[in-house]
Amino acid sequence: MAYSEKVLDHYNNPRNVGTLDKGSKNVGTGLVGAPECGDVMRLQIEVEETTGLIKDAKFKTFGCGSAIASSSLATEWLKGKTVDEAIGIDNMDIVEELELPPVKIHCSVLAEDAIKAAINDYRVKQGLEPIVQEHSIVH
Amino acid sequence: MSGLKLPIYLDNSATTPTDPRVVEAMIPYFYEKMGNAASRNHPFGWVAEEAVDYAREQIAQLIGASSSKEIIFTSGATEADNLALKGVAEMYARRGNHIITVKTEHKAILDTCKQLEKQGCTVSYLEVGSDGLITPEQVREAMTDKTILVSVMMVNNELGVRQPIEEIAKVAHEGGALFMSDATQAVGKIPVDVEAMGIDLMAFTAHKMYGPKGVGALYVRRKRPRVKVTAQMDGGGHERGMRSGTLNVPGIVGFGKAAELARLEMDEESKRLRYLRDKLENELMQMEETYLNGHPEHRVPHISNISFKYVEGEGLMMGFNQEIAVSSGSACTSASLEPSYVLIALGLDDELAHSSLRFSLGRFTTEEQIDYAIEKVRNAVNRMRDLSPLWEMYKEGIDVSTVEWAEH
């Protein structure tokens, strides 16, 4: 199966690989997937307290090229958004941008889950209610 | 790297390139000598028949068959597996309906068995040990008075491990059953002798031994005992009534030539491949958290299956699949995300199964290619580990297997 140019680009030059201090109050961490399923994503956001803007985002992913590309793209999109804006990122936007084939849609779903998990972690740390996760497809 | 032609092919267990000497032998049979081997009344037919008979001899010699009549040509190993299992089940239905096989067999065996179960057969699927092997005792325990066939592959396609065929055949015969082996990955690679091994039926194919695709064979023993299989296709009654259909003469000529080359060159070739395989394996296994899958000794000299823990096979392969062609034990391209059932049968964690690559070397693999592959794969593993949250956790001393993963 051939990969799209965009998937190849993110795979070869992944953006924002790394680790933020998960103990920090301003950092939200989402760890989703499972090793036995063949993909695990860890996505982190660092939020500027005064503005509510996501000033940094990092990821690490165990998975196929599409999973790596989905999480890399997610970090790019997260940076500069407010937390509320970030909640609106939909997996289908990722599918479209990366031109993922149907068998790789689960990679985008996982990335969306990771974004929501990171936001929830941040919200809980801030004493807020976690938002209810809405899964777009069963996987 | 000067003059190294890319991509490098290290997936010879999937298929092998056709040896140029084989291609050369086949060419006349497409046009000048284009006859139908079943045409009995003109020279075109005689020439084709003679060529087929010669190929039959070449193949019989390679596998130690006592007569070339024991070779039944098919379209490949899948058809030969189907013909053997279904043909025996039908032919020997009055004697019993129980078949014994192994969980790590190729799908051509497993799915055929499933089909037979729907038709009233009972099938025992033996578990393998963590080394990928079964024991003759397991077969003995599974035998019943209804057992008509024991089918055990000689060499596993994913791991390269070789089952103790001789002992298993003996157990099958003691229990009054026939013994069948899918030897697709063995014939032409390691010495195979149907007489010495006690094999009654054996499936194999040309394209795994530098012959063309689309032609295979089923060995069917004719003496002690005389084995018969019920044909699974109706037609002109070719191949002693067991497999109808006009013979693929050029393919069969190529198959014969490939068999002859394998017989003459196997000793030298396997020494060379073992050296290259061991070099590749030893170099890659020097990396941390790498695991060899399958028994380290009881295996063919050209296959190596290695798990690189904390990286996912498909993602890893993407790091070099423009330059090196290998297989991954992870079937992430199927939406099921299921890792290889063979690796799972060894008792491997799903995670390690997802992290495996199969390297299979062949006649045209060079040391320069192996050196290049070592470097490329090593770099890709390191790069993927830098990207892997699991590797980071491992490095921090967290036992990844104790983490509670969210439902996915």
Side-chain angles (χ1 to χ4, degrees):
Chain A
M1 185 190 58
Y3 291 94
S4 72
E5 284 297 317
K6 281 171 184 164
V7 168
L8 284 171
D9 179 39
H10 278 280
Y11 176 87
N12 290 322
N13 313 289
R15 335 288 201 250
N16 308 309
V17 176
T19 310
L20 299 171
D21 175 14
K22 65 171 181 276
S24 161
K25 196 168 174 270
N26 297 332
V27 171
T29 302
L31 183 65
V32 296
E36 61 265 29
C37 299
D39 36 27
V40 174
M41 277 181 198
R42 191 194 61 201
L43 204 139
Q44 295 182 299
I45 51 169
E46 186 177 358
V47 182
E48 180 86 63
E49 230 169 312
T50 49
T51 58
L53 284 174
I54 296 170
K55 65 172 185 185
D56 203 3
K58 297 273 186 212
F59 87 95
K60 279 200 178 185
T61 290
F62 162 88
C64 66
S66 303
I68 290 166
S70 296
S71 35
S72 170
L73 176 65
T75 59
E76 265 193 329
W77 281 356
L78 285 168
K79 281 210 238 178
K81 281 198 170 59
T82 65
V83 173
D84 288 344
E85 286 166 350
I87 291 171
I89 296 176
D90 188 77
N91 82 288
M92 287 315 287
D93 300 337
I94 297 172
V95 170
E96 216 167 283
E97 173 68 18
L98 295 177
E99 295 160 31
L100 296 180
V103 294
K104 295 297 184 186
I105 288 179
H106 67 274
C107 298
S108 70
V109 174
L110 204 59
E112 186 187 320
D113 286 352
I115 293 171
K116 298 223 155 82
I119 291 171
N120 273 340
D121 182 55
Y122 169 76
R123 285 176 66 93
V124 169
K125 278 180 179 172
Q126 299 294 319
L128 300 167
E129 286 285 304
I131 46 157
V132 181
Q133 290 239 24
E134 202 185 300
H135 289 278
S136 40
I137 57 168
V138 176
H139 57 284
Chain B
M1 288 282 163
S2 61
L4 188 64
K5 207 172 149 238
L6 298 175
I8 292 166
Y9 190 68
L10 294 179
D11 201 15
N12 286 275
S13 294
T15 190
T16 52
T18 309
D19 192 298
R21 295 170 289 181
V22 168
V23 176
E24 200 183 333
M26 291 170 67
I27 287 172
Y29 294 90
F30 286 100
Y31 190 76
E32 297 152 55
K33 304 179 180 179
M34 40 50 75
N36 185 329
S39 298
R40 292 286 155 82
N41 37 24
H42 54 65
F44 293 94
W46 304 333
V47 166
E49 191 188 18
E50 199 184 333
V52 167
D53 285 345
Y54 186 68
R56 231 186 268 281
E57 284 291 343
Q58 290 170 310
I59 295 161
Q61 261 196 49
L62 175 67
I63 63 166
S66 56
S67 161
S68 66
K69 290 183 179 148
E70 296 177 311
I71 308 297
I72 306 297
F73 287 115
T74 66
S75 63
T78 292
E79 189 195 336
D81 283 336
N82 271 266
L83 177 57
L85 266 56
K86 291 173 179 166
V88 164
E90 206 172 325
M91 181 63 73
Y92 296 86
R94 271 189 302 173
R95 204 181 288 176
N97 66 343
H98 180 232
I99 295 170
I100 299 172
T101 189
V102 184
K103 283 197 161 168
T104 53
E105 293 284 314
H106 191 272
K107 288 286 183 191
I109 295 286
L110 295 177
D111 287 1
T112 303
C113 283
K114 277 186 200 135
Q115 185 59 35
L116 287 170
E117 282 180 294
K118 285 184 201 156
Q119 294 164 11
C121 285
T122 326
V123 183
S124 301
Y125 301 91
L126 303 179
E127 302 271 351
V128 295
S130 57
D131 54 10
L133 300 176
I134 62 162
T135 64
E137 287 67 41
Q138 283 176 276
V139 178
R140 197 188 308 276
E141 280 165 24
M143 296 286 291
T144 71
D145 56 354
K146 294 271 184 221
T147 309
I148 49 171
L149 182 68
V150 175
S151 181
V152 177
M153 78 200 312
M154 197 172 294
V155 169
N156 182 272
N157 50 313
E158 288 191 33
L159 306 168
V161 296
R162 182 190 182 284
Q163 299 287 359
I165 292 299
E166 299 83 345
E167 291 92 326
I168 295 167
K170 209 172 282 173
V171 172
H173 292 150
E174 281 165 12
L178 295 172
F179 179 70
M180 142 86 184
S181 188
D182 174 351
T184 305
Q185 297 285 347
V187 172
K189 305 293 174 61
I190 57 170
V192 171
D193 185 323
V194 288
E195 289 298 328
M197 291 171 159
I199 292 169
D200 300 313
L201 298 124
M202 184 172 82
F204 53 111
T205 190
H207 80 99
K208 307 277 192 195
M209 46 185 274
Y210 313 100
K213 292 166 187 62
V215 57
L218 180 65
Y219 161 81
V220 183
R221 177 176 287 279
R222 285 185 84 215
K223 272 189 199 152
R224 285 171 290 126
R226 183 180 179 89
V227 179
K228 289 183 92 175
V229 295
T230 307
Q232 299 298 306
M233 280 199 300
D234 299 312
H238 308 74
E239 299 298 272
R240 293 168 48 224
M242 286 187 257
R243 201 278 190 176
S244 287
T246 297
L247 290 176
N248 168 3
V249 178
I252 288 167
V253 167
F255 193 1
K257 183 68 184 176
E260 182 187 289
L261 293 173
R263 184 171 57 82
L264 298 174
E265 297 174 4
M266 186 186 299
D267 281 356
E268 280 305 308
E269 190 164 292
S270 54
K271 270 182 222 151
R272 194 181 73 85
L273 290 179
R274 185 182 303 278
Y275 163 76
L276 292 179
R277 192 272 313 269
D278 288 351
K279 181 176 188 182
L280 174 76
E281 190 171 285
N282 292 338
E283 291 285 333
L284 292 177
M285 297 282 293
Q286 276 180 19
M287 303 183 80
E288 276 183 272
E289 294 295 306
T290 50
Y291 300 87
L292 181 69
N293 297 315
H295 196 286
E297 274 106 48
H298 296 302
R299 58 175 173 151
V300 286
H302 61 284
I303 298 179
S304 185
N305 188 312
I306 304 175
S307 286
F308 300 89
K309 207 173 178 185
Y310 309 114
V311 296
E312 194 274 335
E314 196 191 332
L316 174 62
M317 251 169 41
M318 198 174 151
F320 51 71
N321 61 9
Q322 299 292 330
E323 294 95 25
I324 307 167
V326 300
S327 266
S328 160
S330 171
C332 189
T333 43
S334 70
S336 64
L337 291 178
E338 272 171 18
S340 144
Y341 67 93
V342 172
L343 295 176
I344 295 301
L346 302 191
L348 240 65
D349 290 348
D350 281 8
E351 182 196 340
L352 268 184
H354 272 299
S355 303
S356 83
L357 296 180
R358 177 191 71 181
F359 302 88
S360 48
L361 285 57
R363 184 173 288 166
F364 304 102
T365 308
T366 66
E367 186 156 15
E368 192 188 12
Q369 291 178 333
I370 291 298
D371 291 339
Y372 181 84
I374 291 167
E375 182 76 14
K376 270 276 165 187
V377 174
R378 197 190 274 148
N379 290 344
V381 170
N382 285 332
R383 203 173 90 82
M384 283 295 107
R385 281 182 171 170
D386 286 343
L387 272 176
S388 167
L390 304 178
W391 178 251
E392 186 181 302
M393 290 161 106
Y394 163 71
K395 282 288 164 188
E396 284 170 356
I398 298 166
D399 181 353
V400 172
S401 65
T402 64
V403 175
E404 261 198 51
W405 299 100
E407 193 74 27
H408 174 43

